[in-house]
Each structure stands twice: as structure tokens, then as C-alpha cells.
Amino acid sequence: MLSKRYVLVSVLATICFLLFLLPPMYDSGTLNPQQLSSDPRENATFVTLARNSDLDGIMGTIRGVEDRFNHRYNYDWVFLNNEEFSDEFIKMTSQIISGEAKYGVIPKEHWSYPDYIDKEKAAEGRKKMEEDGIIYGGSESYRHMCRYESGFFFQHPLMQDYRYYWRVEPDTLLLCDINYDPFKYLRVNNKAYGFTIALYEYMATIPTLWEVTLKFLSSFPEYVHPHNLAKFLSEDGGQNYNRCHFWSNFEIADADFWRGDAYQNYFKFLDRMGGFFYERWGDAPVHSLAAALFLDRDQIHFFEDIGYYHPPYAHVPENFLERGLKCTFPEKRTFDWEGYSCMRHYYSAQDMELPPQVDRIYW
């Protein structure tokens, strides 16, 4: 008969051999992109708010996303519009998307004035802002867009099938090949919000947003995460907003955060105050305030290795040549360290060291 010791050794050897054959499991720490390059797709989609007139601008953008990233993963793409998409728009865009392209109409209640908004007051506000030369100050449709992107796009029926999304706008460009899955990076590393550009907002568009936010927080202090990123928003302990925000025309994020109680109650509170129409509150500062206050700061991620261009600003990865990143770009230098960028504030709030050559010219 075989000895107990021999049997035990044989069992252990078999287990070790089987473990060797299994793929490596994710550890609890942050994984690097190379560890995420060949896994199955996530529950995620691209999402674009567009008009039929945006067709020319979105075609080049889609082609770039497919060539730089999506031809390897075939993620779906959701298009949303406040009117029906034309046959031409559907035919032209769907033919170059490797995943399934879906087209939805925005419900009227999400692209109209709520009953509690004073339309005359809103019109007077637009007129005053236009006279003052504020960008999009006189635009009614821009305000509907900002409100929709702030509170509703993730609630559209077509978006209910997805947890993660990558927001893409017409006339934007990916500047570098992406050889890993950013969606998987978020999920595996417990990230909820990813960005590439941070900058200052025009205070004239959000004069009361911080005041209203503080009023909300006084009623719901439990929503503020103890390990938040409030230092990115204020340098005087929260008395004043420094206007820093993440540029939301590029977002890779967890839609479940926006669907959660904290953000839902925050958005509804903002919406009742009327600032989307009486002022010109943008979805970028609204998303940024919520992410910085309600999330653990470790859940916010700077996609430094994703080159991105939205006129007139570009994010160019640091030392991209030495790192083997395949990039092209329309500008000589990254926007990250320019005077109007908030990237220094972000690094400071996250206790990160600045790159040694923050003013390097890539040309």
C-alpha cells in the first residue's frame, strides 16, 4: 500500500501543476495595462450625443477610435439625438463600427423645460450672457445638452444594458494607439471615473453652482466620502470653488455611480435650483464636483497614457517615444502644464509628484 506521506506529496504536486496551467488571477493592487490586453470584453459601450448635422465631424472620430483601439475589442456604440437619426447618419456610421451600433431618440421630458423653470427668466439670462460675450451664453440648445449630459444620458433605455461607458464627441481625436482595455482597467482596479484633461471653468457660467452644492451638502453630509478629492476643487477648505474640473467630452466611467443615490439626489437638487437654464451650468463641472466629493479619490483615474485632442487642447502622454507609445498629434506640446490647465491641482490633491520635465516640447 502507498504511504500517507506519498499520497499527500502526490496530491500537492497535482495541485501545483493544475495551478500552473491556470491563467494568473488578478491581485488586489493596481494592474498595469499589459495585464489587461487579451481578456474578454467588459459590460461597456461608447456613447455619443450627436445631431444629424454632426455626421462629417463624427466619421473621422469613429475611424480613429476603431483604428487606435476598438478594432481589437468590438465594443458597441450608442448614439443619442433629440430627434430621429437620418438614414444617411445610420448607414455611414454603422458601416465603420466593429461592434453593434445603436441609435436612440432622447425622451422629450429629458430635453425640455421642467414645469418649475421660469422661461422668461431663462431667456433674460441667455440674453445677458450673450451681451457679455460668454461662450454659448445665448444658446438654448446648449443648455438642454448640458442638462441632459448631467442627469439623463445614462438613464436612456439603450444605456441600461451597460455599466461602463466611454463618451466620444464629434471632431475629437485619439492621438495614440491603445493596446489594453480601459474599461477593464476601471473594473479590475475599482475605478469609477477616468479623464485626460482638467482645466478651469468660466466662472460667469456657474456663479452660484458652488453655493448650491454647499447647500446640498449641508443637508446630505453623509454623501461626502471621507477620502475625497475636495482639495482638487478648493484651496481654502471649501469656502470657494477654484473652478477646476475634468473636461467631460472625454469620460471613461462607471454609469452606476451616476445612477446611485448620492448623484441622483445631487442632480435633482441642482435641477430644481434652475442653474442649467438661469445660468449655464455645464455637465463637466457638475460631474467633476460629484466625482471629487462623493467618490474615494483612489477611484478617480488620470488616463495619462491615452493621447487625446479636443480643439483647442491636447493631452500628449509624457515621454511617449521612450515608452513605445505610437502617437501622432496636432500640437507641439501637451496642454497639461499650461496656465489654464488644472493638472497641477490634480497632482497635488492626489499627492502625486509632478513629472520632472513638465514643460517639455514634443517636437
Side-chain angles (χ1 to χ4, degrees):
M1 295 179 64
L2 295 175
S3 69
K4 293 182 178 179
R5 181 178 180 182
Y6 178 83
V7 172
L8 177 61
V9 171
S10 299
V11 171
L12 290 175
T14 302
I15 292 174
C16 290
F17 178 70
L18 291 174
L19 288 174
F20 176 78
L21 293 178
L22 291 173
M25 296 183 68
Y26 294 127
D27 61 30
S28 59
T30 299
L31 298 182
N32 63 56
Q34 286 69 35
Q35 293 172 276
L36 305 174
S37 60
S38 60
D39 294 328
R41 293 190 310 174
E42 292 295 315
N43 178 19
T45 186
F46 293 97
V47 60
T48 295
L49 181 64
R51 301 160 296 188
N52 289 311
S53 58
D54 290 321
L55 179 58
D56 288 344
I58 197 61
M59 288 297 289
T61 296
I62 295 172
R63 182 74 276 162
V65 170
E66 288 291 330
D67 291 346
R68 293 290 195 184
F69 168 74
N70 202 41
H71 72 280
R72 289 185 293 275
Y73 292 92
N74 314 130
Y75 278 107
D76 296 343
W77 205 308
V78 173
F79 294 93
L80 302 173
N81 191 350
N82 66 317
E83 60 184 29
E84 293 283 350
F85 280 105
S86 67
D87 291 341
E88 180 187 23
F89 189 101
I90 294 173
K91 181 178 180 180
M92 293 293 290
T93 54
S94 62
Q95 69 176 340
I96 60 172
I97 293 172
S98 57
E100 181 181 358
K102 303 179 181 181
Y103 304 85
V105 176
I106 296 169
K108 184 178 180 180
E109 61 269 23
H110 292 171
W111 197 280
S112 59
Y113 290 101
D115 294 339
Y116 46 82
I117 294 297
D118 183 335
K119 294 182 182 180
E120 290 187 7
K121 180 179 177 180
E124 291 172 0
R126 292 196 305 273
K127 181 179 179 181
K128 178 65 166 58
M129 292 181 74
E130 186 172 28
E131 291 173 349
D132 292 341
I134 297 171
I135 186 170
Y136 302 119
S139 174
E140 188 175 30
S141 62
Y142 190 84
R143 285 167 170 79
H144 286 300
M145 181 274 290
C146 288
R147 178 174 179 257
Y148 183 74
E149 292 281 31
S150 294
F152 300 115
F153 79 92
F154 47 86
Q155 296 182 0
H156 193 281
L158 291 179
M159 292 294 292
Q160 296 309 300
D161 294 335
Y162 306 100
R163 175 177 176 182
Y164 296 97
Y165 69 90
W166 183 333
R167 177 172 162 181
V168 180
E169 291 196 357
D171 299 307
T172 60
L173 295 173
L174 290 181
L175 305 180
C176 307
D177 288 357
I178 302 172
N179 297 315
Y180 69 99
D181 188 345
F183 294 124
K184 189 169 294 296
Y185 183 91
L186 260 60
R187 181 183 63 79
V188 172
N189 294 296
N190 191 31
K191 307 292 185 181
Y193 190 88
F195 72 99
T196 56
I197 291 176
L199 71 169
Y200 293 102
E201 180 60 294
Y202 297 107
M203 183 53 77
T205 66
I206 54 165
T208 68
L209 178 58
W210 186 246
E211 175 187 339
V212 171
T213 297
L214 293 180
K215 186 178 297 185
F216 171 80
L217 296 179
S218 69
S219 299
F220 297 95
E222 67 273 18
Y223 289 149
V224 179
H225 198 286
H227 192 240
N228 59 61
L229 198 65
K231 288 200 299 183
F232 174 66
L233 308 173
S234 176
E235 289 118 60
D236 59 8
Q239 294 184 47
N240 296 283
Y241 176 35
N242 63 11
R243 301 181 291 125
C244 282
H245 67 289
F246 307 119
W247 220 16
S248 60
N249 50 71
F250 177 104
E251 284 184 338
I252 306 178
D254 185 346
D256 283 353
F257 171 58
W258 311 127
R259 295 165 181 152
D261 289 342
Y263 186 77
Q264 282 295 296
N265 286 328
Y266 177 55
F267 171 74
K268 290 174 183 176
F269 187 86
L270 296 183
D271 203 29
R272 291 291 305 189
M273 298 302 289
F276 290 108
F277 297 107
Y278 302 146
E279 298 178 12
R280 205 223 67 186
W281 293 352
D283 56 279
V286 170
H287 279 193
S288 300
L289 292 179
L293 294 171
F294 304 152
L295 289 173
D296 185 319
R297 70 184 190 185
D298 292 337
Q299 291 182 284
I300 299 175
H301 180 65
F302 172 34
F303 278 105
E304 193 279 333
D305 57 348
I306 296 182
Y308 174 71
Y309 178 64
H310 180 299
Y313 303 128
H315 163 66
V316 181
E318 185 74 17
N319 299 323
F320 70 89
L321 288 175
E322 293 87 339
R323 293 159 65 183
L325 297 176
K326 298 178 181 179
C327 303
T328 57
F329 46 91
E331 294 196 344
K332 293 185 178 181
R333 58 191 296 151
T334 188
F335 173 69
D336 295 352
W337 315 114
E338 300 290 343
Y340 206 70
S341 171
C342 280
M343 197 59 72
R344 293 176 190 268
H345 290 291
Y346 178 77
Y347 269 63
S348 176
Q350 291 282 35
D351 297 321
M352 298 164 58
E353 290 187 11
L354 291 174
Q357 294 175 295
V358 296
D359 294 321
R360 178 174 177 179
I361 299 176
Y362 301 97
W363 205 255

